[in-house]
Amino acid sequence: MRCIYSHALVASTLLLAAVEASRLTPPVLPLIVRNPYLSTWLADARQEPWSAWPMFYEGQSIGLSILASVPGSGNVYPLLGRPQDSLHRKPNHEYNVTYPKYLGAQYDAAATNLSYLIPSTQGDAAPLELTISFLTPITPTSTLRQSIPAGYVVVHVKGTFNVNIYIDVNGQWVSGDRGSQIVWDFSSPPLEEDGGFPPGPQPLLKTWRVRRETEQLLTEFGDQAEWGTLYFSAAPDVRHESGTSAVLRGRFARTGTLQDQVDESFRGIMQKEPVFAFVKSFHLNGSSPYLPPIEDRAIFNIAHLQDPVVQFASARGLTFMRPLWLSWFHTPEELISFHYFDFDQAAMLATNYSTQLAIDAARSGSQNYVDILALSARQVLGATSFSGTPDNPLLFLKEISSNGNCQTIDVIFPSFPFYMYTNPRWLAYLLEPLIEHMLSGQYPNKYAMHDLGLHFPNLTGHPDGHDEYMPVEECGNILIMGLALINSLVYGDGKQSGSIWASLGGQGLADTETTSPFALTSLETRDGVDGLDDRWGGSEEHKGHKQARKFVERTYRLWKQWTGYLVDYSLTPETQLSTDDFAGWLANQTNLALKGVLGIKAMSHIAEMAGEHKDAEYYKACHQLQKWEEYGISRDKTHAKLAYNWYGSWTTLYNLFADSMLCFHVSESSDSITSNRPNTNDHQKPIGKPGHPKHGGGGRTNFVPEHIYKIQSSWYHNVMQRYGLPLDSRHLYTKTDWEFFAAAVASKSVRREILHSVATWVNETSTDRPLADLHDTEGTGGFDGPAFKARPVVGGHFAFVALERACGGKGMEALQFLDDDGVNQSEEDIGNEL
């Protein structure tokens, strides 16, 4: 690495200490989930981990198996996958296949722990405690670390007798086609004549490298990449071997070790299935089994490296985009070494994030919400891949499972609460490819495009303009997210920042014409940890205003163009799709029209930031909110209709969330968050305490009236089902992202109802894929239509924690009027937490 190097690997139990008992039991759990192609999950997670192979998100198996053996006992214990299928099923004189006691799975936002007990063969001595931790760190203070497509498998042991651990991977990590021919090689530190390692500061690792023999660049098979190299690494004190799976597993079962040999007969993935294995021997026994137990651990590193990561129709033309990590590391080997020896620092940063997330989620009033967010976090980022350079970082997104579109705006939009809470700069990196492409004139329509390409990883655009037709949806989405980004930059001190982690660091600002306002050119060292981002925005030296102004001025033509479309067409939208395209085409959708109205309102603030005061006044005057209320609210004033002329219908008004998230409940006189004047006294001011329910405290005048919030909150209580809040009156299915948008702007009691019902669904759903966002609210909790699984839209689950920190930390306080009267069930009425 050019600037960063970590020398020491200090023993740490951060991972085990941070992951507390998990309450919910989903059907699938994340193991190594980093990007659309490094995505390995624990299948059948309600059963023992040896009941099924780990899987790719589409359901196909991924070869990852782990075994344990106790020397001298003759017993071999399957721990993960189904390696026992390669072993003798009946006891024999060489070994016996037996099973440990499985204690269950625990998880937080970055780690999944599988815990076991292995019985002692020494009288009444205590069993050995064994935990396998799968860490895919979420590091909001370090984009450098987040950009590394790798994860850790850490085996922790505690006991008084020796144990051997076997782990192998196969070629299914590098191709979805089981018939693909693969090649591999192995590297290890050079040995001295005495068998030791030579002196010197260089990192020492054993590494397997596996890839397709003939890579198919930028292609997929079953949604898996057909290009890229798997790197599987361990410390030099392990034994290694490659060969046929049954041969290696059988050898380990008999001997507890491997032969340090490399099979050089390249072949197909399932042709005498070649696997690539390590064995770690833990020496824990002392002179007596009754002495205090000894603790130890082994770290294994799994990475999937690709170059390029996508092709992108950029302003300079169709471009192969290289991974962002190449900006800091000269070679893959340098990257792998850094990642492996950075474990303690990465674990510390990930634990900090997971711990704070749990604290913030608990403020919702539901402990189940803590688990729901923990399950969602890795899934959000698992659809993205970092690219670009430090001068202009980019984040590319795949619309996983629904259709594979690239950079879909209405998939980014439901996930944006995650980014606002975690690190808003990553949202900027998601929007930048769309903005660059449309600024370059390659998209012919006047409204915002739906996506940047039909199927990831080929972001080739739509030069014919024939992308999916969602004009009001996408214009409203990108305007709302644009203002949210601007708001995130302009705040007074760290306590007012929308993201705790984004407010850390110095005020360095790369200010050249060719540098993005969101560049990563000023990495820092803080508290002994290097490679950290500088501060996102902030008031010191007016950095936030400068960044926001540069962003808006460069792109102002597009914002104005998209808003012009909304002014003309959003109040009474013609027959078109909303983001819920599975529900079909419909005219005059009330919820969609509200998004357009809010988009116009957002533009008035964007124009202020750009110094375009006449435009700002114009957009303030033409949003037509009163007309929207007249058209969209039922005659008895109890709820919003699905469509203006569909009497008797109702809808979840999830776009109402944007009104609160953008701080439109802050009075105009104090709402200077998008002011163009760089004055330290001119930043967003905290709202007053809620006062009269119609007007609020401190002279606050809401944009969307409070009674709209109240009637919708009450309505959600009335139509709730066992597994959640249905999307609208047409069906009993729901979208979980929109449920959480609605819950964030509902009363506390209704919010608890929604969270309780979603938690019940997580525990009982018949789905068998990573967290689905579209499911029925009755029956088995499955869905007979499109299978939406592993999608990044679960970032919408973060709506409550994002709103908690919005508006100078007053976002939720401003909604106190919802709990002053109306529906206010007790928790006993809702039911005990699961």
Side-chain angles (χ1 to χ4, degrees), residues 55-87:
M55 71 179 205
F56 190 67
Y57 66 76
E58 281 289 354
Q60 60 266 46
S61 296
I62 296 291
L64 174 60
S65 72
I66 303 179
L67 292 160
S69 70
V70 176
S73 71
N75 293 331
V76 60
Y77 301 88
L79 301 177
L80 179 70
R82 293 195 58 84
Q84 65 269 27
D85 293 346
S86 302
L87 304 176

PDB file of all heavy atoms in Angstrom, residues 55-87:
ATOM      1  N   MET A  55     -24.922 -20.540   0.573  1.00  0.00           N
ATOM      2  CA  MET A  55     -25.506 -20.287  -0.741  1.00  0.00           C
ATOM      3  C   MET A  55     -25.223 -18.877  -1.227  1.00  0.00           C
ATOM      4  O   MET A  55     -24.970 -17.961  -0.448  1.00  0.00           O
ATOM      5  CB  MET A  55     -27.012 -20.520  -0.701  1.00  0.00           C
ATOM      6  CG  MET A  55     -27.795 -19.480   0.065  1.00  0.00           C
ATOM      7  SD  MET A  55     -29.572 -19.826   0.026  1.00  0.00           S
ATOM      8  CE  MET A  55     -30.219 -18.178   0.291  1.00  0.00           C
ATOM      9  N   PHE A  56     -25.266 -18.713  -2.536  1.00  0.00           N
ATOM     10  CA  PHE A  56     -25.326 -17.410  -3.188  1.00  0.00           C
ATOM     11  C   PHE A  56     -26.757 -16.907  -3.032  1.00  0.00           C
ATOM     12  O   PHE A  56     -27.682 -17.688  -2.783  1.00  0.00           O
ATOM     13  CB  PHE A  56     -24.956 -17.562  -4.658  1.00  0.00           C
ATOM     14  CG  PHE A  56     -24.743 -16.274  -5.398  1.00  0.00           C
ATOM     15  CD1 PHE A  56     -23.675 -15.457  -5.085  1.00  0.00           C
ATOM     16  CD2 PHE A  56     -25.605 -15.888  -6.413  1.00  0.00           C
ATOM     17  CE1 PHE A  56     -23.468 -14.274  -5.778  1.00  0.00           C
ATOM     18  CE2 PHE A  56     -25.410 -14.709  -7.106  1.00  0.00           C
ATOM     19  CZ  PHE A  56     -24.342 -13.895  -6.792  1.00  0.00           C
ATOM     20  N   TYR A  57     -26.971 -15.611  -3.166  1.00  0.00           N
ATOM     21  CA  TYR A  57     -28.301 -15.080  -2.838  1.00  0.00           C
ATOM     22  C   TYR A  57     -29.415 -15.644  -3.703  1.00  0.00           C
ATOM     23  O   TYR A  57     -30.575 -15.667  -3.292  1.00  0.00           O
ATOM     24  CB  TYR A  57     -28.304 -13.550  -2.874  1.00  0.00           C
ATOM     25  CG  TYR A  57     -28.069 -12.913  -4.227  1.00  0.00           C
ATOM     26  CD1 TYR A  57     -29.071 -12.874  -5.191  1.00  0.00           C
ATOM     27  CD2 TYR A  57     -26.852 -12.315  -4.534  1.00  0.00           C
ATOM     28  CE1 TYR A  57     -28.869 -12.276  -6.426  1.00  0.00           C
ATOM     29  CE2 TYR A  57     -26.638 -11.714  -5.761  1.00  0.00           C
ATOM     30  CZ  TYR A  57     -27.648 -11.691  -6.706  1.00  0.00           C
ATOM     31  OH  TYR A  57     -27.432 -11.095  -7.923  1.00  0.00           O
ATOM     32  N   GLU A  58     -29.095 -16.145  -4.902  1.00  0.00           N
ATOM     33  CA  GLU A  58     -30.131 -16.726  -5.759  1.00  0.00           C
ATOM     34  C   GLU A  58     -30.485 -18.153  -5.356  1.00  0.00           C
ATOM     35  O   GLU A  58     -31.417 -18.734  -5.874  1.00  0.00           O
ATOM     36  CB  GLU A  58     -29.696 -16.697  -7.222  1.00  0.00           C
ATOM     37  CG  GLU A  58     -29.852 -15.347  -7.891  1.00  0.00           C
ATOM     38  CD  GLU A  58     -31.317 -14.971  -8.134  1.00  0.00           C
ATOM     39  OE1 GLU A  58     -32.201 -15.806  -7.883  1.00  0.00           O
ATOM     40  OE2 GLU A  58     -31.569 -13.836  -8.561  1.00  0.00           O
ATOM     41  N   GLY A  59     -29.722 -18.739  -4.445  1.00  0.00           N
ATOM     42  CA  GLY A  59     -30.049 -20.064  -3.929  1.00  0.00           C
ATOM     43  C   GLY A  59     -29.063 -21.151  -4.276  1.00  0.00           C
ATOM     44  O   GLY A  59     -29.078 -22.219  -3.649  1.00  0.00           O
ATOM     45  N   GLN A  60     -28.185 -20.926  -5.263  1.00  0.00           N
ATOM     46  CA  GLN A  60     -27.221 -21.963  -5.623  1.00  0.00           C
ATOM     47  C   GLN A  60     -26.140 -22.094  -4.557  1.00  0.00           C
ATOM     48  O   GLN A  60     -25.773 -21.134  -3.887  1.00  0.00           O
ATOM     49  CB  GLN A  60     -26.597 -21.689  -7.004  1.00  0.00           C
ATOM     50  CG  GLN A  60     -25.837 -20.381  -7.145  1.00  0.00           C
ATOM     51  CD  GLN A  60     -26.695 -19.262  -7.699  1.00  0.00           C
ATOM     52  OE1 GLN A  60     -27.816 -19.062  -7.265  1.00  0.00           O
ATOM     53  NE2 GLN A  60     -26.153 -18.511  -8.668  1.00  0.00           N
ATOM     54  N   SER A  61     -25.637 -23.313  -4.413  1.00  0.00           N
ATOM     55  CA  SER A  61     -24.658 -23.595  -3.363  1.00  0.00           C
ATOM     56  C   SER A  61     -23.326 -22.920  -3.640  1.00  0.00           C
ATOM     57  O   SER A  61     -22.923 -22.722  -4.790  1.00  0.00           O
ATOM     58  CB  SER A  61     -24.436 -25.106  -3.241  1.00  0.00           C
ATOM     59  OG  SER A  61     -25.621 -25.754  -2.827  1.00  0.00           O
ATOM     60  N   ILE A  62     -22.650 -22.573  -2.556  1.00  0.00           N
ATOM     61  CA  ILE A  62     -21.275 -22.066  -2.598  1.00  0.00           C
ATOM     62  C   ILE A  62     -20.434 -22.989  -1.721  1.00  0.00           C
ATOM     63  O   ILE A  62     -20.783 -23.257  -0.575  1.00  0.00           O
ATOM     64  CB  ILE A  62     -21.186 -20.623  -2.079  1.00  0.00           C
ATOM     65  CG1 ILE A  62     -21.964 -19.670  -2.978  1.00  0.00           C
ATOM     66  CG2 ILE A  62     -19.724 -20.185  -1.952  1.00  0.00           C
ATOM     67  CD1 ILE A  62     -21.358 -19.453  -4.348  1.00  0.00           C
ATOM     68  N   GLY A  63     -19.338 -23.476  -2.268  1.00  0.00           N
ATOM     69  CA  GLY A  63     -18.507 -24.421  -1.525  1.00  0.00           C
ATOM     70  C   GLY A  63     -17.714 -23.750  -0.416  1.00  0.00           C
ATOM     71  O   GLY A  63     -16.730 -23.057  -0.676  1.00  0.00           O
ATOM     72  N   LEU A  64     -18.144 -23.940   0.808  1.00  0.00           N
ATOM     73  CA  LEU A  64     -17.423 -23.488   1.999  1.00  0.00           C
ATOM     74  C   LEU A  64     -17.746 -24.483   3.095  1.00  0.00           C
ATOM     75  O   LEU A  64     -18.885 -24.538   3.572  1.00  0.00           O
ATOM     76  CB  LEU A  64     -17.853 -22.078   2.402  1.00  0.00           C
ATOM     77  CG  LEU A  64     -17.283 -21.539   3.721  1.00  0.00           C
ATOM     78  CD1 LEU A  64     -15.764 -21.475   3.682  1.00  0.00           C
ATOM     79  CD2 LEU A  64     -17.875 -20.171   4.046  1.00  0.00           C
ATOM     80  N   SER A  65     -16.767 -25.293   3.476  1.00  0.00           N
ATOM     81  CA  SER A  65     -17.033 -26.301   4.497  1.00  0.00           C
ATOM     82  C   SER A  65     -16.015 -26.187   5.615  1.00  0.00           C
ATOM     83  O   SER A  65     -14.858 -25.807   5.388  1.00  0.00           O
ATOM     84  CB  SER A  65     -17.008 -27.711   3.902  1.00  0.00           C
ATOM     85  OG  SER A  65     -15.701 -28.117   3.573  1.00  0.00           O
ATOM     86  N   ILE A  66     -16.463 -26.512   6.833  1.00  0.00           N
ATOM     87  CA  ILE A  66     -15.599 -26.466   8.006  1.00  0.00           C
ATOM     88  C   ILE A  66     -15.849 -27.724   8.842  1.00  0.00           C
ATOM     89  O   ILE A  66     -17.004 -28.107   9.076  1.00  0.00           O
ATOM     90  CB  ILE A  66     -15.863 -25.204   8.853  1.00  0.00           C
ATOM     91  CG1 ILE A  66     -15.670 -23.933   7.998  1.00  0.00           C
ATOM     92  CG2 ILE A  66     -14.921 -25.159  10.057  1.00  0.00           C
ATOM     93  CD1 ILE A  66     -15.934 -22.644   8.744  1.00  0.00           C
ATOM     94  N   LEU A  67     -14.756 -28.356   9.265  1.00  0.00           N
ATOM     95  CA  LEU A  67     -14.795 -29.543  10.114  1.00  0.00           C
ATOM     96  C   LEU A  67     -13.898 -29.326  11.323  1.00  0.00           C
ATOM     97  O   LEU A  67     -12.957 -28.521  11.278  1.00  0.00           O
ATOM     98  CB  LEU A  67     -14.283 -30.769   9.355  1.00  0.00           C
ATOM     99  CG  LEU A  67     -15.097 -31.318   8.186  1.00  0.00           C
ATOM    100  CD1 LEU A  67     -14.207 -32.180   7.300  1.00  0.00           C
ATOM    101  CD2 LEU A  67     -16.274 -32.121   8.701  1.00  0.00           C
ATOM    102  N   ALA A  68     -14.170 -30.044  12.381  1.00  0.00           N
ATOM    103  CA  ALA A  68     -13.291 -30.059  13.557  1.00  0.00           C
ATOM    104  C   ALA A  68     -12.976 -31.502  13.912  1.00  0.00           C
ATOM    105  O   ALA A  68     -13.796 -32.407  13.691  1.00  0.00           O
ATOM    106  CB  ALA A  68     -13.953 -29.353  14.735  1.00  0.00           C
ATOM    107  N   SER A  69     -11.798 -31.741  14.455  1.00  0.00           N
ATOM    108  CA  SER A  69     -11.465 -33.066  14.968  1.00  0.00           C
ATOM    109  C   SER A  69     -10.672 -32.904  16.261  1.00  0.00           C
ATOM    110  O   SER A  69      -9.933 -31.933  16.439  1.00  0.00           O
ATOM    111  CB  SER A  69     -10.652 -33.876  13.954  1.00  0.00           C
ATOM    112  OG  SER A  69      -9.345 -33.352  13.816  1.00  0.00           O
ATOM    113  N   VAL A  70     -10.860 -33.855  17.154  1.00  0.00           N
ATOM    114  CA  VAL A  70     -10.142 -33.863  18.428  1.00  0.00           C
ATOM    115  C   VAL A  70      -9.090 -34.959  18.365  1.00  0.00           C
ATOM    116  O   VAL A  70      -9.431 -36.150  18.208  1.00  0.00           O
ATOM    117  CB  VAL A  70     -11.103 -34.105  19.605  1.00  0.00           C
ATOM    118  CG1 VAL A  70     -10.330 -34.197  20.913  1.00  0.00           C
ATOM    119  CG2 VAL A  70     -12.148 -32.996  19.672  1.00  0.00           C
ATOM    120  N   PRO A  71      -7.810 -34.611  18.412  1.00  0.00           N
ATOM    121  CA  PRO A  71      -6.752 -35.622  18.298  1.00  0.00           C
ATOM    122  C   PRO A  71      -6.903 -36.739  19.336  1.00  0.00           C
ATOM    123  O   PRO A  71      -7.214 -36.492  20.504  1.00  0.00           O
ATOM    124  CB  PRO A  71      -5.467 -34.816  18.558  1.00  0.00           C
ATOM    125  CG  PRO A  71      -5.811 -33.405  18.199  1.00  0.00           C
ATOM    126  CD  PRO A  71      -7.250 -33.244  18.579  1.00  0.00           C
ATOM    127  N   GLY A  72      -6.743 -37.956  18.848  1.00  0.00           N
ATOM    128  CA  GLY A  72      -6.799 -39.111  19.726  1.00  0.00           C
ATOM    129  C   GLY A  72      -8.191 -39.627  20.016  1.00  0.00           C
ATOM    130  O   GLY A  72      -8.354 -40.710  20.594  1.00  0.00           O
ATOM    131  N   SER A  73      -9.238 -38.887  19.595  1.00  0.00           N
ATOM    132  CA  SER A  73     -10.604 -39.322  19.899  1.00  0.00           C
ATOM    133  C   SER A  73     -11.217 -40.135  18.777  1.00  0.00           C
ATOM    134  O   SER A  73     -12.166 -40.894  19.000  1.00  0.00           O
ATOM    135  CB  SER A  73     -11.489 -38.111  20.182  1.00  0.00           C
ATOM    136  OG  SER A  73     -11.742 -37.384  18.979  1.00  0.00           O
ATOM    137  N   GLY A  74     -10.720 -39.941  17.547  1.00  0.00           N
ATOM    138  CA  GLY A  74     -11.335 -40.590  16.393  1.00  0.00           C
ATOM    139  C   GLY A  74     -12.601 -39.920  15.929  1.00  0.00           C
ATOM    140  O   GLY A  74     -13.259 -40.409  15.011  1.00  0.00           O
ATOM    141  N   ASN A  75     -12.966 -38.792  16.539  1.00  0.00           N
ATOM    142  CA  ASN A  75     -14.214 -38.102  16.192  1.00  0.00           C
ATOM    143  C   ASN A  75     -13.940 -36.906  15.273  1.00  0.00           C
ATOM    144  O   ASN A  75     -13.000 -36.140  15.498  1.00  0.00           O
ATOM    145  CB  ASN A  75     -14.922 -37.590  17.444  1.00  0.00           C
ATOM    146  CG  ASN A  75     -15.424 -38.722  18.315  1.00  0.00           C
ATOM    147  OD1 ASN A  75     -15.743 -39.806  17.823  1.00  0.00           O
ATOM    148  ND2 ASN A  75     -15.476 -38.488  19.626  1.00  0.00           N
ATOM    149  N   VAL A  76     -14.770 -36.757  14.243  1.00  0.00           N
ATOM    150  CA  VAL A  76     -14.726 -35.593  13.366  1.00  0.00           C
ATOM    151  C   VAL A  76     -16.112 -34.950  13.392  1.00  0.00           C
ATOM    152  O   VAL A  76     -17.133 -35.649  13.352  1.00  0.00           O
ATOM    153  CB  VAL A  76     -14.289 -35.974  11.936  1.00  0.00           C
ATOM    154  CG1 VAL A  76     -15.245 -36.970  11.293  1.00  0.00           C
ATOM    155  CG2 VAL A  76     -14.139 -34.735  11.068  1.00  0.00           C
ATOM    156  N   TYR A  77     -16.137 -33.620  13.477  1.00  0.00           N
ATOM    157  CA  TYR A  77     -17.375 -32.883  13.695  1.00  0.00           C
ATOM    158  C   TYR A  77     -17.641 -31.926  12.532  1.00  0.00           C
ATOM    159  O   TYR A  77     -16.883 -30.961  12.326  1.00  0.00           O
ATOM    160  CB  TYR A  77     -17.284 -32.063  14.985  1.00  0.00           C
ATOM    161  CG  TYR A  77     -17.033 -32.864  16.224  1.00  0.00           C
ATOM    162  CD1 TYR A  77     -15.733 -33.160  16.631  1.00  0.00           C
ATOM    163  CD2 TYR A  77     -18.088 -33.316  17.014  1.00  0.00           C
ATOM    164  CE1 TYR A  77     -15.491 -33.897  17.783  1.00  0.00           C
ATOM    165  CE2 TYR A  77     -17.863 -34.052  18.171  1.00  0.00           C
ATOM    166  CZ  TYR A  77     -16.567 -34.346  18.546  1.00  0.00           C
ATOM    167  OH  TYR A  77     -16.332 -35.067  19.693  1.00  0.00           O
ATOM    168  N   PRO A  78     -18.695 -32.126  11.756  1.00  0.00           N
ATOM    169  CA  PRO A  78     -19.077 -31.122  10.757  1.00  0.00           C
ATOM    170  C   PRO A  78     -19.555 -29.849  11.463  1.00  0.00           C
ATOM    171  O   PRO A  78     -20.306 -29.910  12.439  1.00  0.00           O
ATOM    172  CB  PRO A  78     -20.225 -31.794   9.995  1.00  0.00           C
ATOM    173  CG  PRO A  78     -20.113 -33.258  10.317  1.00  0.00           C
ATOM    174  CD  PRO A  78     -19.554 -33.325  11.691  1.00  0.00           C
ATOM    175  N   LEU A  79     -19.113 -28.693  10.966  1.00  0.00           N
ATOM    176  CA  LEU A  79     -19.503 -27.409  11.550  1.00  0.00           C
ATOM    177  C   LEU A  79     -20.268 -26.532  10.563  1.00  0.00           C
ATOM    178  O   LEU A  79     -21.181 -25.796  10.962  1.00  0.00           O
ATOM    179  CB  LEU A  79     -18.262 -26.653  12.039  1.00  0.00           C
ATOM    180  CG  LEU A  79     -17.404 -27.358  13.092  1.00  0.00           C
ATOM    181  CD1 LEU A  79     -16.166 -26.527  13.418  1.00  0.00           C
ATOM    182  CD2 LEU A  79     -18.209 -27.631  14.357  1.00  0.00           C
ATOM    183  N   LEU A  80     -19.910 -26.573   9.284  1.00  0.00           N
ATOM    184  CA  LEU A  80     -20.559 -25.726   8.285  1.00  0.00           C
ATOM    185  C   LEU A  80     -20.549 -26.433   6.942  1.00  0.00           C
ATOM    186  O   LEU A  80     -19.553 -27.060   6.563  1.00  0.00           O
ATOM    187  CB  LEU A  80     -19.836 -24.379   8.169  1.00  0.00           C
ATOM    188  CG  LEU A  80     -20.410 -23.403   7.136  1.00  0.00           C
ATOM    189  CD1 LEU A  80     -21.770 -22.867   7.597  1.00  0.00           C
ATOM    190  CD2 LEU A  80     -19.451 -22.242   6.880  1.00  0.00           C
ATOM    191  N   GLY A  81     -21.649 -26.270   6.183  1.00  0.00           N
ATOM    192  CA  GLY A  81     -21.774 -26.957   4.906  1.00  0.00           C
ATOM    193  C   GLY A  81     -22.112 -28.429   5.131  1.00  0.00           C
ATOM    194  O   GLY A  81     -22.523 -28.833   6.218  1.00  0.00           O
ATOM    195  N   ARG A  82     -21.899 -29.217   4.094  1.00  0.00           N
ATOM    196  CA  ARG A  82     -22.167 -30.651   4.225  1.00  0.00           C
ATOM    197  C   ARG A  82     -20.925 -31.481   3.880  1.00  0.00           C
ATOM    198  O   ARG A  82     -20.960 -32.374   3.022  1.00  0.00           O
ATOM    199  CB  ARG A  82     -23.346 -31.055   3.333  1.00  0.00           C
ATOM    200  CG  ARG A  82     -24.675 -30.443   3.800  1.00  0.00           C
ATOM    201  CD  ARG A  82     -25.861 -31.131   3.155  1.00  0.00           C
ATOM    202  NE  ARG A  82     -25.899 -32.554   3.425  1.00  0.00           N
ATOM    203  CZ  ARG A  82     -26.420 -33.117   4.516  1.00  0.00           C
ATOM    204  NH1 ARG A  82     -26.957 -32.352   5.456  1.00  0.00           N
ATOM    205  NH2 ARG A  82     -26.416 -34.433   4.666  1.00  0.00           N
ATOM    206  N   PRO A  83     -19.793 -31.192   4.521  1.00  0.00           N
ATOM    207  CA  PRO A  83     -18.607 -32.003   4.229  1.00  0.00           C
ATOM    208  C   PRO A  83     -18.779 -33.445   4.652  1.00  0.00           C
ATOM    209  O   PRO A  83     -18.069 -34.340   4.147  1.00  0.00           O
ATOM    210  CB  PRO A  83     -17.510 -31.309   5.046  1.00  0.00           C
ATOM    211  CG  PRO A  83     -18.247 -30.638   6.174  1.00  0.00           C
ATOM    212  CD  PRO A  83     -19.535 -30.185   5.564  1.00  0.00           C
ATOM    213  N   GLN A  84     -19.712 -33.719   5.554  1.00  0.00           N
ATOM    214  CA  GLN A  84     -19.946 -35.098   5.994  1.00  0.00           C
ATOM    215  C   GLN A  84     -20.409 -35.990   4.857  1.00  0.00           C
ATOM    216  O   GLN A  84     -20.282 -37.225   4.926  1.00  0.00           O
ATOM    217  CB  GLN A  84     -20.955 -35.143   7.156  1.00  0.00           C
ATOM    218  CG  GLN A  84     -22.361 -34.691   6.808  1.00  0.00           C
ATOM    219  CD  GLN A  84     -22.588 -33.202   7.030  1.00  0.00           C
ATOM    220  OE1 GLN A  84     -21.643 -32.421   6.953  1.00  0.00           O
ATOM    221  NE2 GLN A  84     -23.821 -32.813   7.322  1.00  0.00           N
ATOM    222  N   ASP A  85     -20.955 -35.381   3.781  1.00  0.00           N
ATOM    223  CA  ASP A  85     -21.378 -36.177   2.629  1.00  0.00           C
ATOM    224  C   ASP A  85     -20.184 -36.844   1.948  1.00  0.00           C
ATOM    225  O   ASP A  85     -20.361 -37.810   1.188  1.00  0.00           O
ATOM    226  CB  ASP A  85     -22.119 -35.302   1.616  1.00  0.00           C
ATOM    227  CG  ASP A  85     -23.456 -34.806   2.154  1.00  0.00           C
ATOM    228  OD1 ASP A  85     -23.925 -35.345   3.179  1.00  0.00           O
ATOM    229  OD2 ASP A  85     -24.018 -33.861   1.562  1.00  0.00           O
ATOM    230  N   SER A  86     -18.984 -36.288   2.172  1.00  0.00           N
ATOM    231  CA  SER A  86     -17.772 -36.866   1.584  1.00  0.00           C
ATOM    232  C   SER A  86     -17.146 -37.927   2.482  1.00  0.00           C
ATOM    233  O   SER A  86     -16.148 -38.547   2.100  1.00  0.00           O
ATOM    234  CB  SER A  86     -16.724 -35.767   1.339  1.00  0.00           C
ATOM    235  OG  SER A  86     -17.223 -34.762   0.491  1.00  0.00           O
ATOM    236  N   LEU A  87     -17.719 -38.116   3.672  1.00  0.00           N
ATOM    237  CA  LEU A  87     -17.122 -39.017   4.656  1.00  0.00           C
ATOM    238  C   LEU A  87     -17.969 -40.268   4.833  1.00  0.00           C
ATOM    239  O   LEU A  87     -19.140 -40.304   4.446  1.00  0.00           O
ATOM    240  CB  LEU A  87     -16.969 -38.293   5.999  1.00  0.00           C
ATOM    241  CG  LEU A  87     -16.163 -36.997   5.969  1.00  0.00           C
ATOM    242  CD1 LEU A  87     -16.182 -36.329   7.338  1.00  0.00           C
ATOM    243  CD2 LEU A  87     -14.732 -37.250   5.515  1.00  0.00           C
TER     244      LEU A  87
END
